[in-house]
Amino acid sequence: MSLLVCLQSSAQACYAASAVGYLTGRPGVCLVVSGPGLINALSGMANSNMNCWPLIVLAGSSDTNQETMGAFQEFPQVETSRLYSKFSARPSSLEAIPVVIEKAVRSSIYGRPGSCYVDIPGDFVNKMVNRSDVRYTECCLPPPTSLADPTAVHKAVLELKNAQQPLVIVGKGAAFSRAERSISKLVQDCGLPFLPTPMGKGVVPDNHPNCVAAARSSALQNADVILLLGARLNWILHFGLPPRFRPDVKIIQIDICAEELGNNVKPAASLLGDIDAVTQQLLENLSETSWKYPASAEWWKILRAKIRSNEENSKVLASQTSLPMNYYTVFKYVKDALPSNCIIVSEGANTMDIGRTVLPNYHPRHRLDAGTFGTMGVGLGFAIAAAMITKDECPEQRVVCIEGDSAFGFSGMEAETMCRYKLPIIIIVVNNNGIYNGFDEGTWNEMMESGDPATMAPPVALMPNAHYEQVMKAFGGKGYFARTPEELQNALKSSFAEKAVPSLINVMIDPVSDRKKQEFHWLTRSNL
């Protein structure tokens, strides 16, 4: 598949190309102009590198014979890009371009995936070279599959079998590795509870009976042995440290990157290799004794009780009929409208966090969000990438982009790109008039009467009742403004029926709506 798409900004183009790399397993390519164009793309390069997604960035640069002379947009692009990539280089000549490109592609997908940069000086564009002098090279082979040390696999299996309160954590590294079949078999055959990270959702379907996402805090805090599949013990998983984890928790860590093994918590077993291949090694070892964690274990009873309690709390919030609506009410109607195979793109503060817990994913690589780097502004670029891929491979599949109002502001002009390419993306802006919290129109007007907005309005407050749907209408898409459940349901129905142009639903919610409170309780073997 080869697609050429022009976005509004190089940052969004870079985000889109990185999402292509994650969704397809092959690096997307982002072409940007020199100087400020590349600098604008650095956020996408950094985001791709932190997420471990393959990406190639090509940028023009000032002519080689004008270096240090103050050339147009002259900037140390190769040196700068090294901070944000696995590989950064400028071909020494036209003849060397194929070799450098091959190395960039290979570097982006071999080992831990990441971004790579190739610099193209302006004077290369019109240069001529003899075809016979070009150093052609074959395209690199697919990444080699590495297996873990059998001794380490045996040790991991022993730890798992001896666990009283086991937990499997599935990360986006498992999704990228295409490990869904082996991990689903591991969870099913061994009867293990599993918890997906945000972009690990769907590797095993969220509606699988062994999914304990609704009891996330309790599962993390009380598991005594954790099998970590393509996830890192970073801020998303609270570094694997107390009080969010047990002080004596044993970690079985599987990762493609040796340097990642042992970060923050020393693992009880370290398995270096491809997630899919190593999971199959575990399955082979476990199948020798047909071991299965007992469904009657007290640990399962505790987790299921917590799941029921949390789901009931969420249902109470979702069933509230007061206006303006809260997050849970909005997501209830969105959930009811979503096709089971849609790709969900999400960013924002509470919008992303609450949406992750409420909106299900049933297939791998069907959720894109702010990721490891917590990057705001990725949403519309990601959605465009997903829509271009589905347009080519599965035209009926829908892409739904769920944005906070502040998050939409980072990339809202990409609505024009969606309209230009006739991508029937559905954007849902959950609008609370601010970042985390805002003000209703009456309170806002009172503040404005009291003085200058620059001194009276908090920096996290945005204009109340902003009509973001008008941005989409300006370019020929469909826009809807929803204040009530009925208006939201009608807008969702119309948007999913529209197959030719994108739609934007601007949903007003209570400016002080928040997520439900979290509780933490320690469990030990003595009180199980």
Side-chain angles (χ1 to χ4, degrees):
M1 180 182 67
S2 180
L3 298 170
L4 179 63
V5 183
C6 180
L7 283 84
Q8 289 282 335
S9 75
S10 53
Q12 291 302 314
C14 207
Y15 292 140
S18 69
V20 168
Y22 174 64
L23 294 171
T24 67
R26 297 290 297 179
V29 181
C30 177
L31 175 64
V32 298
V33 298
S34 58
L38 174 67
I39 292 171
N40 196 19
L42 291 177
S43 57
M45 291 175 64
N47 188 67
S48 181
N49 227 33
M50 293 295 289
N51 277 333
C52 308
W53 294 353
L55 167 70
I56 306 295
V57 175
L58 306 176
S61 61
S62 51
D63 292 3
T64 54
N65 63 355
Q66 295 177 355
E67 283 189 9
T68 75
M69 296 177 64
F72 176 69
Q73 295 186 339
E74 183 177 357
F75 189 73
Q77 296 180 184
V78 175
E79 295 84 352
T80 300
S81 295
R82 287 196 179 106
L83 295 172
Y84 310 98
S85 62
K86 292 181 66 179
F87 172 78
S88 179
R90 170 190 284 183
S92 58
S93 63
L94 284 180
E95 293 90 335
I97 287 178
V99 174
V100 173
I101 293 295
E102 187 276 339
K103 184 170 184 178
V105 172
R106 177 162 40 88
S107 298
S108 75
I109 57 176
Y110 276 36
R112 172 183 276 179
S115 59
C116 295
Y117 173 69
V118 178
D119 192 80
I120 307 295
D123 51 320
F124 277 26
V125 175
N126 294 316
K127 263 188 178 180
M128 303 293 289
V129 63
N130 290 327
R131 186 181 296 273
S132 60
D133 293 335
V134 176
R135 295 163 56 191
Y136 289 110
T137 184
E138 292 184 3
C139 186
C140 66
L141 296 171
T145 301
S146 52
L147 297 172
D149 182 347
T151 304
V153 173
H154 181 68
K155 184 178 181 182
V157 167
L158 288 178
E159 293 289 357
L160 205 54
K161 287 181 175 180
N162 290 328
Q164 299 296 310
Q165 298 158 224
L167 178 67
V168 177
I169 297 179
V170 183
K172 67 176 176 293
F176 184 81
S177 180
R178 273 58 179 170
E180 49 266 23
R181 288 186 180 179
S182 57
I183 293 176
S184 293
K185 184 172 176 57
L186 176 70
V187 167
Q188 183 67 34
D189 290 0
C190 297
L192 294 167
F194 78 93
L195 173 69
T197 64
M199 274 191 276
K201 283 164 63 70
V203 171
V204 184
D206 282 350
N207 61 351
H208 191 285
N210 289 19
C211 181
V212 296
R216 182 181 189 273
S217 295
S218 184
L220 290 178
Q221 193 175 34
N222 296 293
D224 63 348
V225 174
I226 293 177
L227 175 60
L228 202 61
L229 297 171
R232 289 171 279 179
L233 292 176
N234 53 23
W235 66 275
I236 294 175
L237 289 174
H238 317 290
F239 313 104
L241 299 174
R244 304 302 288 267
F245 286 73
R246 286 171 54 141
D248 61 345
V249 65
K250 293 183 177 180
I251 302 292
I252 302 168
Q253 190 171 9
I254 304 177
D255 205 283
I256 193 69
C257 176
E259 291 83 354
E260 188 61 41
L261 299 172
N263 269 352
N264 298 319
V265 177
K266 184 178 180 180
S270 298
L271 285 73
L272 176 64
D274 175 77
I275 303 299
D276 186 35
V278 176
T279 303
Q280 292 180 42
Q281 286 182 280
L282 289 173
L283 280 167
E284 290 169 7
N285 200 302
L286 287 162
S287 65
E288 293 175 2
T289 57
S290 300
W291 175 82
K292 187 167 187 174
Y293 184 69
S296 60
E298 189 67 21
W299 177 230
W300 263 124
K301 294 176 184 177
I302 292 167
L303 289 173
R304 286 179 176 137
K306 192 64 178 175
I307 289 170
R308 286 193 297 270
S309 173
N310 286 342
E311 287 180 343
E312 283 302 315
N313 290 338
S314 294
K315 284 180 181 177
V316 170
L317 289 168
S319 63
Q320 291 180 2
T321 57
S322 59
L323 296 177
M325 294 180 284
N326 64 42
Y327 284 103
Y328 293 88
T329 304
V330 169
F331 286 132
K332 172 186 180 297
Y333 293 110
V334 172
K335 178 183 177 181
D336 291 344
L338 289 178
S340 62
N341 70 335
C342 73
I343 294 177
I344 298 174
V345 181
S346 183
E347 65 172 331
N350 285 335
T351 298
M352 182 175 69
D353 293 339
I354 298 172
R356 168 181 55 81
T357 66
V358 177
L359 303 177
N361 290 97
Y362 305 110
H363 304 280
R365 298 169 296 281
H366 278 49
R367 177 182 168 84
L368 297 164
D369 62 25
T372 305
F373 213 24
T375 309
M376 289 296 104
V378 297
L380 273 63
F382 281 1
I384 289 167
M388 292 301 296
I389 292 170
T390 59
K391 183 179 182 180
D392 186 69
E393 297 180 354
C394 185
E396 295 302 311
Q397 189 175 11
R398 302 308 296 265
V399 176
V400 180
C401 184
I402 303 171
E403 301 273 301
D405 48 341
S406 174
F408 178 73
F410 281 89
S411 57
M413 290 304 291
E414 295 301 339
E416 185 276 334
T417 308
M418 296 177 181
C419 290
R420 187 180 355 130
Y421 290 101
K422 300 186 184 303
L423 302 175
I425 297 165
I426 298 170
I427 300 175
I428 301 170
V429 178
V430 184
N431 188 349
N432 68 344
N433 300 336
I435 304 169
Y436 284 108
N437 297 117
F439 295 96
D440 59 54
E441 193 166 15
T443 305
W444 176 268
N445 290 337
E446 289 177 10
M447 286 194 302
M448 295 305 98
E449 292 172 1
S450 301
D452 188 340
T455 57
M456 299 306 298
V460 295
L462 301 176
M463 286 283 291
N465 302 329
H467 283 266
Y468 298 111
E469 77 282 359
Q470 297 294 342
V471 175
M472 184 64 79
K473 284 184 174 181
F475 300 114
K478 300 299 178 77
Y480 306 92
F481 188 67
R483 293 176 181 266
T484 67
E486 294 74 22
E487 291 173 345
L488 174 58
Q489 287 176 294
N490 290 335
L492 287 165
K493 183 178 180 180
S494 298
S495 296
F496 279 105
E498 177 57 62
K499 303 294 178 64
V501 296
S503 303
L504 191 153
I505 306 172
N506 183 16
V507 189
M508 299 307 304
I509 67 167
D510 188 342
V512 295
S513 179
D514 205 349
R515 63 190 302 179
K516 61 184 177 64
K517 302 299 181 184
Q518 298 185 57
E519 297 179 0
F520 303 100
H521 301 285
W522 288 98
L523 297 175
T524 63
R525 292 186 183 183
S526 62
N527 63 18
L528 274 176

